[in-house]
């Protein structure tokens, strides 16, 4: 797995954001080496020393050429640096908060009570990001800090016209009073990922652990639509909601036709998803009929429907076109049986933490 947290040493006292530049093969740093850049001075295989206006930063155990252009958040007291934005990756996500007002049965990152305001650091990071990046914002629930989030979006989008955002939100906290703020943003550059698990309110509410959540998300999706927001509906496929997937497809087609994408997603084996794996994991390789019917219906109604996190060989050949590789590079892995697979370059494989006995009854390409 690609390390996102680095062991470092620095003279600084307070946390800061800096962009690392290796400038290998160049006699001296180029003119665009800015105040928030630290350039590689020396490297000996174990340690790399970066220096800049923010001071010296010694990074341990990573080839410095792999860090070129990365934007890191340095916490001197912990001797760590978090790679907020990796220059070589299209999968960069900033964790806005670990707080959440829902408690989903399969939550990959169970919520915590404490919150640290990272917006000022994230703003710096986004301003330093590579050109034409799409940056993910997630949580917890980012809109628990809605006014700070709007300020952050307004500021960064005004200063970086080439940057787009993908924001994961449970959409519980919007209202018509937000229309003006939403419309003030260039909504063509933001994709809002909103989970909807079932067209049956009781099932959705049970999955997210919050009574009334379905009614609220339904109402607030209308608000987002009225504002002109782009919506990616996200449905994690599990035993409790798999039988109702076709009904959900009909609901999406009739009630939410403005949806940009409907993503049907396989379950992640981490957090509560791991704790509740036995009661949640739906083997879509054997039960694909339910998925296929829902997908056929949604596609026939013009809904752009995708299968996220489905190993390609577990999907019937005719449907593989709907299953892009979606697992981020830093957490993607393959099992031993994948070694000689012809589909490997197109297949997103598994989450790094998926059990090696993968649990799919039909697996591998015949
Ligand atoms: S065998 Fe592995 S690489 Fe091939 S399609 Fe299946 S999961 Fe993907």
């Amino acid at each position: 797995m690609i390390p996102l947290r680095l062991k470092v040493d620095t003279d600084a006292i307070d946390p800061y954001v800096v962009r690392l530049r290796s400038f290998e093969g160049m006699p001296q740093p180029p003119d665009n080496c800015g105040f928030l850049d630290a350039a590689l001075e020396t490297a000996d295989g174990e340690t790399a020393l970066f220096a800049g206006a923010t001071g010296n930063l010694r990074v341990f155990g990573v080839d410095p050429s792999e860090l070129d252009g990365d934007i890191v958040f340095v916490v001197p007291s912990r001797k760590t640096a978090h790679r907020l934005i990796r220059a070589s990756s299209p999968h960069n996500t900033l964790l806005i908060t670990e707080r959440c007002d829902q408690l989903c049965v399969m939550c990959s990152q169970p919520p915590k009570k404490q919150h640290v305001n990272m917006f000022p650091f994230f703003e710096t990071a986004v301003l330093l990001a590579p050109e034409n990046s799409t940056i993910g914002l997630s949580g917890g629930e980012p809109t628990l800090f809605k006014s700070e989030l709007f300020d952050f979006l307004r500021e960064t989008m005004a200063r970086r016209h080439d940057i787009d955002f993908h924001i994961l939100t449970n959409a519980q906290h919007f209202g018509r009073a937000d229309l003006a703020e939403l419309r003030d943003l260039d909504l063509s550059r933001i994709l809002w990922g909103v989970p909807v698990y079932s067209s049956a309110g009781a099932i959705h509410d049970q999955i997210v652990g919050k009574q009334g959540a379905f009614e609220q998300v339904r109402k607030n999706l209308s608000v987002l639509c009225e504002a002109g927001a782009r919506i990616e509906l996200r449905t994690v496929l599990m035993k409790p909601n798999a039988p109702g997937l076709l009904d959900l497809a009909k609901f999406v087609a009739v009630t939410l036709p403005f949806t940009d994408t409907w993503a049907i997603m396989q379950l992640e084996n981490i957090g509560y998803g791991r704790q509740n794996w036995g009661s949640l994991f739906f083997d879509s390789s054997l039960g694909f009929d339910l998925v296929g019917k829902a997908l056929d219906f949604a596609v026939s109604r013009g809904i752009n429907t995708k299968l996220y996190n489905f190993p390609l060989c577990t999907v019937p050949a005719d449907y593989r076109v709907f299953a892009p590789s979606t697992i981020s590079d830093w957490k993607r892995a393959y099992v031993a049986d994948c070694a000689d697979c012809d589909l490997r370059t197109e297949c997103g494989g598994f989450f790094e933490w998926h059990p090696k006995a993968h649990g799919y009854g039909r697996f591998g390409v015949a």
Side-chain angles (χ1 to χ4, degrees), residues 21 23 30 41-42 100 114 155 190 213 247 304 331 344:
R21 310 298 298 271
F23 300 123
E41 297 265 304
T42 57
C100 191
Q114 73 267 23
E155 180 69 17
I190 304 174
D247 288 339
N304 176 32
K331 52 184 176 180
R344 188 167 163 143

Side-chain angles (χ1 to χ4, degrees), residues 96-144:
I96 301 297
T97 183
E98 294 191 85
R99 284 196 199 154
C100 191
D101 56 311
Q102 296 192 157
L103 203 58
C104 299
V105 289
M106 71 306 188
C107 180
S108 58
Q109 183 140 356
K112 294 186 181 148
K113 286 207 172 93
Q114 73 267 23
H115 169 73
V116 179
N117 178 17
M118 290 289 290
F119 279 112
F121 299 112
F122 289 166
E123 193 174 309
T124 305
V126 170
L127 297 180
L128 292 170
E131 281 180 13
N132 303 316
S133 301
T134 296
I135 294 174
L137 305 180
S138 78
E141 175 46 46
T143 62
L144 289 178

